[in-house]
Amino acid sequence: MAQTRPLGAQISHMLKDRGVDVIFGIPGVHNQEMYRGIEEAGITHVLARHEQGAGFMADGYARATGKPGVAYVITGPGLTNIMTPMGQAYSDSVPMLVISSCLDETAATKGQLHQMKDQRGAAETVCDWSEEARTAEAAYALIDRALIEFETGRPRPKCLQVSIGLLEAAAPEPFGEVETEPYRTDDDAAAETLMACLSDAKAPIFIFGGGVQTDLAPAVAEAAGAASFTTYAARGLMAGYPLNFGASLARPSSADVLAQADVVIAVGTELAEVDLWRRDLGHTGTLIRVDIDPIVLSDSQRADVCIQARADDVLTSLAEMLEHHQSATRWRSDEVAAQRKRWRAEIDAERPDIVPVCDALRDCLPKGTMIYSDMTQFAYTAKEVWDMDEPGHWHHPTGFGTLGYATPAAIGGAVARKGLPTMAIIGDYGFHYTMQELGVAVELGLPLPIILWDNGKLKEIEESMVRAQIAPNAVVARNPDFCKLAEAFGVHAAAPRTLQDMQETVRAAFDADGPTLIYLTPDISSLT
């Protein structure tokens, strides 16, 4: 028998029926009706300390599971506080559903609590779409629309707003779940197009992006006799492949390597500024783009062949066609290894003292550790020199580039990965943005190592100013005693003095009864 409930409660029940198990958020008087049905529906709620933290937790949860991260926030400031995480999720193609309350009417009444001029329009600037539901049926339809679009298109955040009066009003049960199929193209035809380009290629290169999930990528590249690059988002995809140049597209001389290719096939990647850090890819041969997003296919790189399709579907078809393909490649594994060694030396020279710490940290981690990093020089270095064993296990705020991402995102990832190792890497300045979320990790008893890299300043900005011949200013802030601060939250804290001590501390942190802040400075690489 159908059960009538307040709409706020019905929404939680609907989400549970659609597979949502965890919601991140903060309750307030405006959205309290959304909390009426959470426990009754059997959903776990994680109470953040700030809506920005809730959004990053939802992002981290989504990246760890592939399922949408869901957040509940209040009217006005709750929505504006979560807009930064929404912008980050939009840049990095993360499925996130933000549901907020909104005022019943704003045109004729002013001075209301949490009032904004245009809440819907504000949210739309940082997400795929932002809509206000004016009936219960519209709310249900928009939730299903978001979930269907996460499955069938490029996953990006959506924002649904429901007025306070509507949340409080009695509503019928939601309609049944809609069966969906992913976006499909003629994958065989797309693969045949690639085969035609590869048939005479002597030096093909694949560039694999975060849109590639299939483990067939190394086999496809090998059968085609192709070298490969990955974007930062696809690190680990080509683990062990001897012709893989790594996540080195940002190295200026990668353009010289790409210029040697007669065919470049970019699959599931925007080839964005934050991938290349230059205007042009550098290729001289044929460029083929495969992407689900038509906007990517029409960008300034001006591909010779554009294929709108799901990357994995096309690669699956291509793998079958390449089974009997005979390739003769000009690429040599020793030359690839030598080039990667040169790039590693460049990175070590650019940011002294960081590479040895990256190596030591990598070597002490349990297999399958998932890492969430922040905008810090440690992470910038690690993304280029740290080879991942598997894809989808290092998450970074690549596009929007916000500070403060790593700690709450890692909390979301740890919630999703109970019993599996999860770690955060964050800089001293970024840590200030979201350090209050340490309380959440303590409450949940998460065995979460948090690597805090303290170089005492906004060093990346300082170096940029120097290169631009600007006298560096406003790049140094007084830091607290981070270990004492962590302990005040109930967090374990340690400041290892040697790389060996660091490794022992990190190993112990994965077995602790709560989070551990591990405080590192650049001096650690030279101490014995």
Side-chain angles (χ1 to χ4, degrees):
M1 180 177 177
Q3 184 175 355
T4 299
R5 301 184 182 94
L7 177 60
Q10 295 284 37
I11 287 173
S12 292
H13 281 270
M14 178 182 184
L15 290 171
K16 178 64 175 180
D17 291 342
R18 302 298 195 262
V20 174
D21 297 315
V22 180
I23 290 173
F24 303 88
I26 302 176
V29 67
H30 277 190
N31 72 344
Q32 64 187 16
E33 283 296 335
M34 293 158 62
Y35 284 75
R36 185 184 294 275
I38 287 180
E39 289 189 13
E40 186 181 67
I43 293 175
T44 297
H45 182 271
V46 176
L47 176 63
R49 298 300 186 266
H50 188 283
E51 287 89 357
Q52 186 177 81
F56 288 144
M57 289 176 200
D59 175 297
Y61 179 91
R63 296 194 200 210
T65 63
K67 297 167 57 177
V70 179
Y72 281 177
V73 298
I74 61 164
T75 317
L79 188 282
T80 57
N81 284 341
I82 205 170
M83 283 174 61
T84 295
M86 290 166 65
Q88 189 61 64
Y90 184 86
S91 293
D92 289 351
S93 300
V94 177
M96 180 193 299
L97 176 58
V98 174
I99 303 179
S100 76
S101 54
C102 65
L103 295 172
D104 298 323
E105 183 277 323
T106 59
T109 306
K110 302 301 177 184
Q112 301 177 80
L113 178 65
H114 302 329
Q115 187 167 16
M116 290 179 66
K117 292 175 67 176
D118 185 359
Q119 179 173 307
R120 186 210 63 78
E124 193 168 47
T125 62
V126 288
C127 64
D128 193 23
W129 53 255
S130 169
E131 299 290 355
E132 179 185 341
R134 297 181 180 175
T135 66
E137 291 75 15
Y140 302 150
L142 287 167
I143 290 171
D144 269 339
R145 174 186 168 189
L147 298 178
I148 289 169
E149 289 178 1
F150 290 146
E151 289 290 327
T152 59
R154 184 175 184 178
R156 276 177 156 166
K158 330 285 183 182
C159 185
L160 169 63
Q161 288 127 76
V162 187
S163 68
I164 299 165
L166 189 57
L167 288 169
E168 295 171 344
E173 286 188 344
F175 25 77
E177 187 172 2
V178 178
E179 293 294 327
T180 62
E181 287 291 332
Y183 175 90
R184 301 291 297 182
T185 57
D186 188 341
D187 303 321
D188 287 343
E192 286 172 0
T193 299
L194 295 181
M195 278 296 300
C197 295
L198 287 169
S199 60
D200 296 323
K202 301 301 181 186
I205 287 182
F206 278 94
I207 301 176
F208 295 111
V212 179
Q213 305 292 319
T214 178
D215 57 7
L216 291 172
V220 167
E222 182 177 14
S228 67
F229 283 88
T230 65
T231 65
Y232 296 136
R235 288 168 59 218
L237 184 72
M238 302 299 289
Y241 184 58
L243 297 181
N244 180 37
F245 284 99
S248 303
L249 288 169
R251 293 286 102 197
S253 56
S254 70
D256 299 330
V257 175
L258 290 161
Q260 299 174 42
D262 47 7
V263 175
V264 177
I265 303 175
V267 188
T269 171
E270 290 180 304
L271 297 180
E273 177 187 47
V274 292
D275 294 318
L276 306 176
W277 293 112
R278 59 179 181 270
R279 183 178 296 276
D280 298 315
L281 184 60
H283 65 289
T284 56
T286 301
L287 175 61
I288 305 168
R289 303 289 295 274
V290 180
D291 206 281
I292 197 171
D293 188 347
I295 295 175
V296 169
L297 299 176
S298 59
D299 68 7
S300 61
Q301 297 296 340
R302 296 300 176 197
D304 300 287
V305 180
C306 296
I307 299 172
Q308 186 186 5
R310 280 185 173 275
D312 286 2
D313 296 339
V314 173
L315 290 174
T316 299
S317 294
L318 182 59
E320 295 176 358
M321 294 181 185
L322 283 167
E323 283 185 359
H324 304 294
H325 178 68
Q326 299 294 321
S327 63
T329 180
R330 295 177 185 168
W331 301 112
R332 290 174 46 187
S333 59
D334 58 334
E335 293 176 349
V336 172
Q339 180 61 68
R340 294 193 64 174
K341 186 176 181 179
R342 287 192 291 271
W343 284 332
R344 180 184 170 91
E346 283 181 12
I347 296 161
D348 194 23
E350 290 168 1
R351 297 195 177 103
D353 303 321
I354 297 180
V355 170
V357 188
C358 290
D359 292 342
L361 182 58
R362 181 197 60 220
D363 292 345
C364 74
L365 297 184
K367 183 175 175 56
T369 298
M370 185 168 285
I371 300 169
Y372 293 83
S373 60
D374 213 88
M375 302 298 284
T376 171
Q377 286 192 329
F378 190 99
Y380 305 153
T381 302
K383 288 193 303 173
E384 292 195 77
V385 303
W386 186 321
D387 285 333
M388 298 296 290
D389 294 331
E390 54 187 317
H393 277 64
W394 188 301
H395 306 293
H396 186 79
T398 301
F400 213 42
T402 179
L403 286 161
Y405 169 81
T407 301
I411 291 171
V415 168
R417 291 166 46 82
K418 292 179 181 177
L420 298 174
T422 304
M423 184 176 75
I425 297 173
I426 194 164
D428 58 307
Y429 204 85
F431 185 72
H432 284 84
Y433 278 52
T434 52
M435 63 185 175
Q436 68 275 4
E437 305 304 339
L438 289 175
V440 181
V442 171
E443 284 180 354
L444 298 176
L446 300 175
L448 177 68
I450 301 170
I451 308 296
L452 197 161
W453 181 256
D454 183 3
N455 55 22
K457 60 181 68 177
L458 287 163
K459 193 164 179 20
E460 187 76 5
I461 308 307
E462 179 186 63
E463 291 175 359
S464 178
M465 285 180 166
V466 170
R467 287 194 298 270
Q469 297 184 333
I470 299 170
N473 58 77
V475 294
V476 178
R478 178 171 178 170
N479 282 331
D481 184 322
F482 286 112
C483 289
K484 289 182 178 179
L485 177 68
E487 289 168 354
F489 277 97
V491 174
H492 304 294
R497 299 288 294 163
T498 68
L499 293 179
Q500 183 178 353
D501 289 344
M502 178 196 72
Q503 291 178 320
E504 293 173 359
T505 302
V506 170
R507 292 188 188 103
F510 285 109
D511 296 323
D513 58 358
T516 303
L517 183 79
I518 302 171
Y519 177 78
L520 305 179
T521 68
D523 292 339
I524 193 171
S525 65
S526 58
L527 296 173
T528 57

mmCIF file of all heavy atoms in Angstrom, residues 218-226 241 319 322-323 325-327:
data_model
loop_
_atom_site.group_PDB
_atom_site.id
_atom_site.type_symbol
_atom_site.label_atom_id
_atom_site.label_comp_id
_atom_site.label_asym_id
_atom_site.label_seq_id
_atom_site.Cartn_x
_atom_site.Cartn_y
_atom_site.Cartn_z
ATOM 1 N N PRO A 218 46.295 -1.623 -22.041
ATOM 2 C CA PRO A 218 47.645 -2.078 -22.382
ATOM 3 C C PRO A 218 47.673 -3.071 -23.537
ATOM 4 O O PRO A 218 48.566 -3.011 -24.397
ATOM 5 C CB PRO A 218 48.128 -2.735 -21.074
ATOM 6 C CG PRO A 218 47.303 -2.107 -19.997
ATOM 7 C CD PRO A 218 45.960 -1.881 -20.626
ATOM 8 N N ALA A 219 46.696 -3.983 -23.568
ATOM 9 C CA ALA A 219 46.655 -4.973 -24.649
ATOM 10 C C ALA A 219 46.395 -4.310 -25.995
ATOM 11 O O ALA A 219 46.975 -4.707 -27.020
ATOM 12 C CB ALA A 219 45.580 -6.021 -24.354
ATOM 13 N N VAL A 220 45.533 -3.309 -26.008
ATOM 14 C CA VAL A 220 45.251 -2.580 -27.249
ATOM 15 C C VAL A 220 46.517 -1.889 -27.742
ATOM 16 O O VAL A 220 46.875 -1.961 -28.926
ATOM 17 C CB VAL A 220 44.113 -1.562 -27.026
ATOM 18 C CG1 VAL A 220 44.028 -0.581 -28.198
ATOM 19 C CG2 VAL A 220 42.780 -2.268 -26.841
ATOM 20 N N ALA A 221 47.207 -1.187 -26.838
ATOM 21 C CA ALA A 221 48.427 -0.483 -27.238
ATOM 22 C C ALA A 221 49.483 -1.457 -27.743
ATOM 23 O O ALA A 221 50.141 -1.208 -28.763
ATOM 24 C CB ALA A 221 48.960 0.325 -26.059
ATOM 25 N N GLU A 222 49.640 -2.573 -27.055
ATOM 26 C CA GLU A 222 50.654 -3.554 -27.469
ATOM 27 C C GLU A 222 50.332 -4.143 -28.832
ATOM 28 O O GLU A 222 51.212 -4.255 -29.699
ATOM 29 C CB GLU A 222 50.737 -4.673 -26.426
ATOM 30 C CG GLU A 222 51.796 -5.711 -26.748
ATOM 31 C CD GLU A 222 51.932 -6.772 -25.680
ATOM 32 O OE1 GLU A 222 51.036 -6.870 -24.820
ATOM 33 O OE2 GLU A 222 52.935 -7.516 -25.709
ATOM 34 N N ALA A 223 49.053 -4.514 -29.044
ATOM 35 C CA ALA A 223 48.666 -5.103 -30.335
ATOM 36 C C ALA A 223 48.845 -4.106 -31.473
ATOM 37 O O ALA A 223 49.139 -4.496 -32.612
ATOM 38 C CB ALA A 223 47.223 -5.584 -30.272
ATOM 39 N N ALA A 224 48.683 -2.825 -31.167
ATOM 40 C CA ALA A 224 48.834 -1.794 -32.193
ATOM 41 C C ALA A 224 50.286 -1.364 -32.367
ATOM 42 O O ALA A 224 50.589 -0.558 -33.259
ATOM 43 C CB ALA A 224 47.974 -0.581 -31.835
ATOM 44 N N GLY A 225 51.176 -1.868 -31.526
ATOM 45 C CA GLY A 225 52.568 -1.440 -31.592
ATOM 46 C C GLY A 225 52.739 0.001 -31.188
ATOM 47 O O GLY A 225 53.619 0.706 -31.692
ATOM 48 N N ALA A 226 51.895 0.448 -30.256
ATOM 49 C CA ALA A 226 51.840 1.873 -29.917
ATOM 50 C C ALA A 226 52.550 2.164 -28.609
ATOM 51 O O ALA A 226 52.534 1.364 -27.669
ATOM 52 C CB ALA A 226 50.391 2.340 -29.816
ATOM 53 N N TYR A 241 53.502 -1.464 -18.641
ATOM 54 C CA TYR A 241 53.625 -1.472 -20.102
ATOM 55 C C TYR A 241 54.945 -0.810 -20.500
ATOM 56 O O TYR A 241 55.192 0.358 -20.179
ATOM 57 C CB TYR A 241 52.442 -0.743 -20.743
ATOM 58 C CG TYR A 241 52.442 -0.779 -22.245
ATOM 59 C CD1 TYR A 241 52.440 -1.985 -22.939
ATOM 60 C CD2 TYR A 241 52.464 0.402 -22.987
ATOM 61 C CE1 TYR A 241 52.450 -2.023 -24.321
ATOM 62 C CE2 TYR A 241 52.471 0.374 -24.372
ATOM 63 C CZ TYR A 241 52.467 -0.848 -25.033
ATOM 64 O OH TYR A 241 52.474 -0.885 -26.415
ATOM 65 N N ALA A 319 40.002 -3.939 -29.441
ATOM 66 C CA ALA A 319 40.806 -5.069 -28.964
ATOM 67 C C ALA A 319 40.497 -6.335 -29.752
ATOM 68 O O ALA A 319 41.394 -7.112 -30.086
ATOM 69 C CB ALA A 319 40.556 -5.291 -27.470
ATOM 70 N N LEU A 322 42.058 -6.142 -33.221
ATOM 71 C CA LEU A 322 43.517 -6.182 -33.230
ATOM 72 C C LEU A 322 44.090 -7.557 -32.920
ATOM 73 O O LEU A 322 45.316 -7.739 -32.927
ATOM 74 C CB LEU A 322 44.066 -5.177 -32.206
ATOM 75 C CG LEU A 322 44.035 -3.699 -32.603
ATOM 76 C CD1 LEU A 322 44.309 -2.820 -31.384
ATOM 77 C CD2 LEU A 322 45.041 -3.409 -33.712
ATOM 78 N N GLU A 323 43.236 -8.535 -32.661
ATOM 79 C CA GLU A 323 43.710 -9.861 -32.244
ATOM 80 C C GLU A 323 44.684 -10.469 -33.256
ATOM 81 O O GLU A 323 45.638 -11.145 -32.884
ATOM 82 C CB GLU A 323 42.529 -10.803 -32.024
ATOM 83 C CG GLU A 323 41.803 -10.564 -30.715
ATOM 84 C CD GLU A 323 40.708 -11.583 -30.466
ATOM 85 O OE1 GLU A 323 40.506 -12.463 -31.335
ATOM 86 O OE2 GLU A 323 40.043 -11.500 -29.424
ATOM 87 N N HIS A 325 46.192 -8.604 -35.729
ATOM 88 C CA HIS A 325 46.899 -7.506 -36.384
ATOM 89 C C HIS A 325 48.412 -7.678 -36.213
ATOM 90 O O HIS A 325 48.907 -7.972 -35.124
ATOM 91 C CB HIS A 325 46.466 -6.169 -35.779
ATOM 92 C CG HIS A 325 47.181 -4.980 -36.344
ATOM 93 N ND1 HIS A 325 47.003 -4.546 -37.634
ATOM 94 C CD2 HIS A 325 48.079 -4.123 -35.785
ATOM 95 C CE1 HIS A 325 47.736 -3.473 -37.857
ATOM 96 N NE2 HIS A 325 48.406 -3.195 -36.746
ATOM 97 N N GLN A 326 49.142 -7.529 -37.275
ATOM 98 C CA GLN A 326 50.599 -7.607 -37.247
ATOM 99 C C GLN A 326 51.162 -6.180 -37.291
ATOM 100 O O GLN A 326 50.980 -5.467 -38.271
ATOM 101 C CB GLN A 326 51.126 -8.417 -38.445
ATOM 102 C CG GLN A 326 50.645 -9.854 -38.472
ATOM 103 C CD GLN A 326 51.210 -10.658 -37.298
ATOM 104 O OE1 GLN A 326 52.364 -10.492 -36.928
ATOM 105 N NE2 GLN A 326 50.389 -11.531 -36.728
ATOM 106 N N SER A 327 51.797 -5.772 -36.211
ATOM 107 C CA SER A 327 52.300 -4.400 -36.166
ATOM 108 C C SER A 327 53.822 -4.387 -36.138
ATOM 109 O O SER A 327 54.461 -5.253 -35.535
ATOM 110 C CB SER A 327 51.770 -3.680 -34.918
ATOM 111 O OG SER A 327 52.253 -4.309 -33.758
#
